[in-house]
Amino acid sequence: MRVFRPLAALATAALLLTAACSSSAHQGSTAQGFSPPKIQMQQTLGQGEGTVNIVAWAGYVEYGQDNKSVDWVTPFTQQTGCKVNVKVAGTSDEMVALMKTGQYDTVSASGDATLRLIAGGDAAPVNTGLVPNYATIYPSLKMQPWNSVDGVAYGIPHGRGANLLMYNTDKVSPAPTSWSAVFDTHSPYAGHLTAYDDPIYLADAALYLMKTQPALGIRNPYALTPAQLAQAVALLKTQKKSISSYWNDYTKAQASFDSGDYWLGTTWEVIQQAVAADGKVKTAAILPAEGATGWSDTWMVSAHAQHPNCAYEWMNYIVSPSVNAQVAEYFGEAPANSQACSSIKDNPNFCTDYHAADESWWRNVYYWNTPTRSCVDGSGKDDCTDYAQWVTAWNEIKS
């Protein structure tokens, strides 16, 4: 899962993104406000090189290391002849740094890393015609601002999830329907609130302000002017007074809800499912009236890939219906392949629980994107705050 590093590392990565976007800005403007370096797209698929080096989230590349029955790597190697070497990354920043070394062929990047990889010249455009299983990926995940630039695909969607509002049903009454429950300046649940520990959480505050204070002019929670960012910072500083603790490790969040320390706050679907299975407390998780932030992960090919053919073989395999179903169920997220649900084995209600095909539900989820000076809201303006400024702001909130 997404377990983040200290903020010093985040600041370093943020400066890398700022420099990358600044250096490419003279090349022209796209919907994201920058043009990536010119990197050739692979046109044909050749013989596999025998190896593929992967950077991935824990749980995405399983070869029986933790559970012998959980292994989709061995069948891949048997089918393709490509031996898998995987480096598990704990943070998006670690993924960006690893991909910059040129030692890895493909990465399962979240939206808060993808634009950094593209702008920095570390991700190559992806020829979706060489990935047959791309055809059955949910259309709503294709060619999005975090996985494409100016109509060119830079990755293959893998899975998605939302940052929901979870609450202890015995402690929180009435049942919340809005994020106002965690932003209430006089919260009756002070000392038992929790929130996600990362600069990207500023987008959660921005989304709430966008929906409740339209006069602020926020069009996209990842495209904030300095004045809008200051409003989000002020909201989170006020919220901090009621926070028990922040979380960035889902197992710790689960344990804190189980123990009764957390009553109300940000969660992932997999956390709520785990707490429900533990049975120690009664909880519910909702998509609030304002919507929520979330993630859509993307398999990307390194611009420096030494094994590009095996990388393409891997991307096609990992998003195939049966394998995508295995990963989604093991990891705890909605699959990206529209045919994956027919291959779910353990929980017949899995795809319903995770809203896999409920596009009306996902329309209210604002997937992570990387803030850049050139606004990512499609306005063409260059007056937005970038990721480095968000890191500084988060340091200020947490200090």
Side-chain angles (χ1 to χ4, degrees):
M1 290 293 183
R2 296 154 177 77
V3 183
F4 289 87
R5 281 190 195 173
L7 292 175
L10 291 172
T12 301
L15 292 174
L16 292 173
L17 173 65
T18 302
C21 290
S22 298
S23 65
S24 61
H26 70 279
Q27 299 176 20
S29 179
T30 68
Q32 288 87 346
F34 71 94
S35 289
K38 300 296 183 182
I39 299 171
Q40 188 171 0
M41 178 189 293
Q42 186 163 336
Q43 297 301 312
T44 59
L45 189 62
Q47 182 68 32
E49 301 87 358
T51 299
V52 61
N53 297 324
I54 301 172
V55 176
W57 295 117
Y60 274 10
V61 183
E62 293 295 307
Y63 50 91
Q65 67 270 38
D66 297 320
N67 184 335
K68 290 184 179 180
S69 66
V70 181
D71 180 0
W72 44 84
V73 168
T74 300
F76 169 75
T77 299
Q78 293 171 342
Q79 292 174 27
T80 65
C82 299
K83 178 185 176 182
V84 172
N85 299 311
V86 60
K87 172 67 174 179
V88 173
T91 75
S92 287
D93 301 306
E94 186 178 358
M95 287 186 169
V96 172
L98 288 169
M99 292 302 288
K100 284 185 175 297
T101 68
Q103 298 176 21
Y104 298 91
D105 304 303
T106 182
V107 59
S108 63
S110 294
D112 56 338
T114 49
L115 290 190
R116 285 186 269 175
L117 292 169
I118 296 169
D122 298 301
V126 168
N127 187 340
T128 59
L130 302 181
V131 184
N133 285 309
Y134 184 76
T136 49
I137 296 293
Y138 287 109
S140 62
L141 296 178
K142 296 179 179 179
M143 304 303 292
Q144 295 300 320
W146 60 88
N147 59 28
S148 69
V149 176
D150 202 23
V152 177
Y154 274 83
I156 305 298
H158 168 91
R160 54 182 167 177
N163 299 312
L164 303 176
L165 176 60
M166 181 166 161
Y167 63 98
N168 183 318
T169 58
D170 289 330
K171 301 291 187 179
V172 178
S173 181
T177 59
S178 164
W179 286 112
S180 63
V182 299
F183 292 125
D184 183 354
T185 55
H186 303 290
S187 173
Y189 311 114
H192 293 281
L193 297 183
T194 186
Y196 192 46
D197 189 1
D198 187 76
I200 207 69
Y201 183 62
L202 280 155
D204 293 62
L207 174 60
Y208 177 70
L209 293 172
M210 182 175 78
K211 296 293 186 176
T212 60
Q213 298 186 37
L216 293 176
I218 299 174
R219 297 177 44 178
N220 182 300
Y222 306 100
L224 305 180
T225 65
Q228 292 165 346
L229 180 63
Q231 291 288 331
V233 169
L235 180 62
L236 293 184
K237 282 185 174 180
T238 299
Q239 183 198 47
K240 183 186 175 185
K241 300 173 185 176
S242 299
I243 293 287
S244 167
S245 63
Y246 297 91
W247 66 271
N248 57 21
D249 181 331
Y250 86 103
T251 59
K252 293 180 180 178
Q254 175 186 341
S256 293
F257 269 105
D258 276 342
S259 69
D261 182 21
Y262 293 168
W263 293 357
L264 183 69
T266 314
T267 195
W268 295 333
E269 186 78 14
V270 66
I271 298 173
Q272 199 279 327
Q273 297 283 345
V275 171
D278 290 342
K280 296 178 181 178
V281 295
K282 296 179 181 179
T283 61
I286 64 163
L287 182 69
E290 300 86 5
T293 61
W295 74 86
S296 170
D297 289 346
T298 302
W299 285 103
M300 308 179 82
V301 175
S302 171
H304 322 289
Q306 299 175 34
H307 313 101
N309 294 312
C310 279
Y312 268 87
E313 292 275 15
W314 172 260
M315 289 194 301
N316 186 54
Y317 173 82
I318 199 67
V319 300
S320 62
S322 62
V323 180
N324 199 223
Q326 291 179 64
V327 182
E329 194 166 19
Y330 181 74
F331 185 84
E333 65 182 356
N337 195 302
S338 63
Q339 298 180 356
C341 289
S342 61
S343 297
I344 293 293
K345 295 180 179 179
D346 295 333
N347 177 7
N349 298 317
F350 180 86
C351 282
T352 299
D353 292 342
Y354 284 81
H355 308 278
D358 188 354
E359 294 300 341
S360 63
W361 193 86
W362 291 105
R363 276 197 290 271
N364 293 314
V365 175
Y366 296 76
Y367 299 108
W368 284 345
N369 208 340
T370 309
T372 62
R373 189 66 56 85
S374 298
C375 305
V376 295
D377 60 3
S379 66
K381 296 181 178 180
D382 294 312
D383 61 349
C384 285
T385 50
D386 59 31
Y387 189 65
Q389 291 169 285
W390 283 43
V391 172
T392 299
W394 187 245
N395 270 307
E396 182 183 334
I397 293 164
K398 294 291 295 295
S399 63

